[in-house]
Amino acid sequence: MDNLFAAHAQVSGATPGRKWDTDELNHAILLRLAAEFQGFARDLHDECVDAVVRALGLTNSRLEDIIGIVNLRANRKLDSGNASPGGLGTDFARLGMALWADLKGRYPGRATKWNRKLELLNTARNGIAHDDETKLQKVRSEGWPMTLPTARSWRSALDALADGMDTVCKTHLKTLLGNAPW
């Protein structure tokens, strides 16, 4: 992400004001932001699954695979679609979590904003990736143009969401397993 922001600064001169010829860079930044967050969410889910499977104390790797791969990772939304709020909720529910309720309980007000910005990012991502101007216009009409300030705002929100998800997952696993896995 930092490399894309640096490339944008090089092209635009890193000064305030409307920049021309940066639309494609803005799109690349937004696509990368969505991809990076999805990768984080998938890795966090994997870490949680691994912690649960390890806690079972199985000595048979085949049983570990059946529990971990087949039951907890199979058909994950994170493997076939965007890291949407609904998909995240579904995937983490396999671990006995109510992800968004836990986030809202721990971060009142902030979690709702994170959820909304994640939805908007995914709508923008789909609009860019599928050349769907209707989706892009929907995001713009809610006050989020496909610009560098929008990307920075969404990145900041997703960084905070990632920290929040890490915290609520660790707390959930500590309660479930008796100790914090990380």
Side-chain angles (χ1 to χ4, degrees):
M1 289 301 309
D2 290 336
N3 289 339
L4 282 170
F5 283 116
H8 194 289
Q10 246 183 345
V11 168
S12 68
T15 58
R18 173 71 178 115
K19 303 299 177 199
W20 306 103
D21 298 329
T22 58
D23 289 343
E24 295 305 317
L25 275 173
N26 294 338
H27 288 178
I29 289 169
L30 293 170
L31 288 170
R32 183 64 184 194
L33 180 59
E36 288 282 332
F37 184 76
Q38 182 164 350
F40 160 79
R42 188 182 309 108
D43 289 347
L44 179 62
H45 189 268
D46 283 341
E47 289 293 324
C48 292
V49 168
D50 291 346
V52 168
V53 171
R54 275 192 313 271
L56 295 174
L58 301 173
T59 57
N60 181 324
S61 64
R62 179 75 177 122
L63 284 175
E64 287 179 355
D65 287 346
I66 290 170
I67 292 168
I69 296 171
V70 176
N71 291 313
L72 297 175
R73 289 188 180 109
N75 300 313
R76 275 192 306 197
K77 303 289 185 189
L78 284 166
D79 293 329
S80 62
N82 297 331
S84 68
L88 292 174
T90 298
D91 287 346
F92 282 90
R94 294 172 178 215
L95 300 165
M97 293 184 69
L99 179 66
W100 288 101
D102 292 348
L103 286 165
K104 288 175 184 176
R106 188 166 188 104
Y107 305 99
R110 292 177 65 196
T112 299
K113 291 176 185 174
W114 297 337
N115 184 299
R116 186 67 191 134
K117 286 186 177 183
L118 180 57
E119 280 287 347
L120 289 165
L121 172 63
N122 282 311
T123 301
R125 178 254 173 242
N126 289 339
I128 294 164
H130 302 290
D131 196 25
D132 187 337
E133 187 57 37
T134 302
K135 287 182 177 159
L136 294 174
Q137 188 53 43
K138 179 181 184 226
V139 175
R140 286 186 200 107
S141 72
E142 293 197 34
W144 297 97
M146 304 302 114
T147 61
L148 191 60
T150 293
R152 287 180 198 249
S153 177
W154 289 350
R155 182 185 192 191
S156 177
L158 293 182
D159 284 348
L161 173 55
D163 286 341
M165 287 174 62
D166 183 78
T167 298
V168 298
C169 286
K170 182 168 84 173
T171 301
H172 172 74
L173 291 174
K174 182 178 181 183
T175 301
L176 183 67
L177 307 175
N179 58 12
W182 60 84

